[in-house]
Amino acid sequence: MNKLKYIHLFLITVITICFVGCKSSSTVSTKHEYHLNREFRGAWIQCVNGQFMGISTEAMQNDLIHQLDELKRDGINTIIFQVRAECDALYESDIEPWSRFLTGQQGKAPSPYWDPLEFMVEECHSRGMELHAWINPYRAKTKTTHQLSTSHIAITNPELCFRYDDLLILNPGIPENREYILKVVKDIVKRYDIDGLHIDDYFYPYPAPGNVIQDKVQYQQYGEDFSDINDWRRDNVNTFIREMNTTIHKIKPWVKFGVSPFGIYRNKSVSPNGSNTNGLANYDDLYADILLWVEEGWIDYNVPQLYWQIGHPVADYKELIHWWNDNAYNRPLIIGEDVERIVKYDQMQEKMQLERTLPNIQGSCQWYSRVVVNNIGGYATKLRTDYFNDYAFNIEMPWLSDRRPDAPKKLKIITTEDGRVLFWTEPSGKKWDVEPVEYAVFKDGKLYGITQNTFIRIPAQKGSKKTEYAVCALNRLQHNGPFASIITK
């Protein structure tokens, strides 16, 4: 039965509701305490490993649908989908060429034609999952790419890149490159109904023996305020992160900006604020001052990649998860997990316990989706039966907006020819942060269902036992307003 038919039945029967055997009352107060279970439960779907390269449109769509269905069963509520690996596009773009990781040849459009990002937005939203578009901002060529499209920026503007360890990198020290990347970001955010924009750990390149970053000319040109080239490099990335945050939220204030940095910020051997580790570091080696971004509120969520095992001699997971928890500041801390390593060392239970007992951690993100879907070591089974076996709404981000929808109005239970239906009236509010996009329905204190409609089917009820239904509206950020309830017998 479609929505119009339900509405028609509602109008017909609302006056005579007392004659259909249902006694009910509607109120904004409830006899139960209601709360929405919240946790960021993410998974990365990458393209750079070549899993989609050159396969047919139908095959890739079927594979993505399969992955999303399995991840949904596993309790995942956020998909981070790689759409720009090397200044290319897994979406329709007038700025950058089609990715070879999609078609096998950079610049070649898929045939039959389709738009993977548009497809993933629709498929994720139909499953109640968020879609975060994942880009690599500075990397212009990976090591395995040997031919670039004639429209690629490294071909049209080679002076904007430097070569490093067989990579091509958009030079972060050239202001024009920030403008170029932000142009790409604006295009994605404006044209696609994404929930987040995500970048990972590739800022300045990872150190490689025998390679030198070719940016001394730019330092002499732009770095007059810095006596140390390393401080200048960090400032270049800081400026980019700050401007990216402003750019995204100016266009769509509900789109979340997330960063997934390397798992070590600094080592205690070089900084008293560092962790008791002895590995490569964001601040010193990649020129990425993650803690500054968190402290200043330039990012909306932080997903450090804690891919090591508990007891690792150089980067102990337990040491690092406590360090990040102590330095979370005022932004959500999500833990990036290496599924294969967890399975190898049989540490799922201990790591999940740490995640859920440390106070500043609000979820996890699985690297990577394919190994979860393949259920290696029974990992997916444990997610769906033990750890993610209850529905979780996504975490709140009140700095994006602290406004919420009002409570639904005029709750009524009506017996129709197809059974009993709970109806309500949409609360007023047309601005994005007070307009309802979906509703959570509870039955006697427990989540009963989620719907984008203003009605939901409910089971028949026998005897004199009273049942309470409660409904709240959620906005685009999944922030919920107050509950309205109805008690029936």
Side-chain angles (χ1 to χ4, degrees), residues 262-323:
F262 185 72
I264 299 173
Y265 173 66
R266 300 194 81 182
N267 297 295
K268 192 177 289 290
S269 59
V270 298
S271 170
N273 192 36
S275 53
N276 189 22
T277 51
N278 189 29
L280 181 141
N282 280 289
Y283 185 93
D284 301 287
D285 301 304
L286 303 177
Y287 310 103
D289 191 353
I290 311 297
L291 289 195
L292 177 66
W293 311 343
V294 175
E295 283 188 87
E296 295 294 333
W298 295 341
I299 61 176
D300 295 315
Y301 65 93
N302 181 24
V303 196
Q305 300 169 24
L306 304 192
Y307 290 169
W308 303 276
Q309 70 270 24
I310 296 171
H312 191 284
V314 173
D316 178 20
Y317 177 95
K318 187 176 288 188
E319 160 70 18
L320 283 165
I321 196 171
H322 278 94
W323 187 91

Side-chain angles (χ1 to χ4, degrees), residues 92 114 116 119 180 191 218 324 399:
E92 185 179 292
W114 69 303
F119 176 86
Y180 174 76
R191 293 195 296 117
Q218 288 76 31
W324 283 103
W399 54 90

Side-chain angles (χ1 to χ4, degrees), residues 324-387:
W324 283 103
N325 176 75
D326 294 340
N327 291 275
Y329 295 99
N330 61 342
R331 286 295 182 264
L333 175 62
I334 315 300
I335 303 302
E337 296 285 10
D338 182 337
V339 174
E340 290 179 305
R341 191 171 300 209
I342 289 175
V343 170
K344 178 180 178 181
Y345 291 95
D346 191 22
Q347 294 183 341
M348 186 176 190
Q349 181 177 354
E350 192 171 357
K351 286 190 173 185
M352 288 298 292
Q353 185 177 7
L354 284 167
E355 283 181 17
R356 290 183 164 178
T357 55
L358 293 174
N360 295 321
I361 298 173
Q362 298 189 43
S364 63
C365 196
Q366 317 306 312
W367 176 258
Y368 49 101
S369 67
R370 178 70 68 186
V371 292
V372 178
V373 170
N374 290 346
N375 198 22
I376 65 166
Y379 190 90
T381 299
K382 291 175 184 177
L383 284 182
R384 71 180 65 153
T385 59
D386 297 339
Y387 300 112

Side-chain angles (χ1 to χ4, degrees), residues 94-112:
D94 292 331
I95 303 171
E96 296 183 313
W98 283 101
S99 175
R100 79 175 182 91
F101 295 113
L102 176 63
T103 64
Q105 177 183 336
Q106 192 177 91
K108 180 181 177 181
S111 179

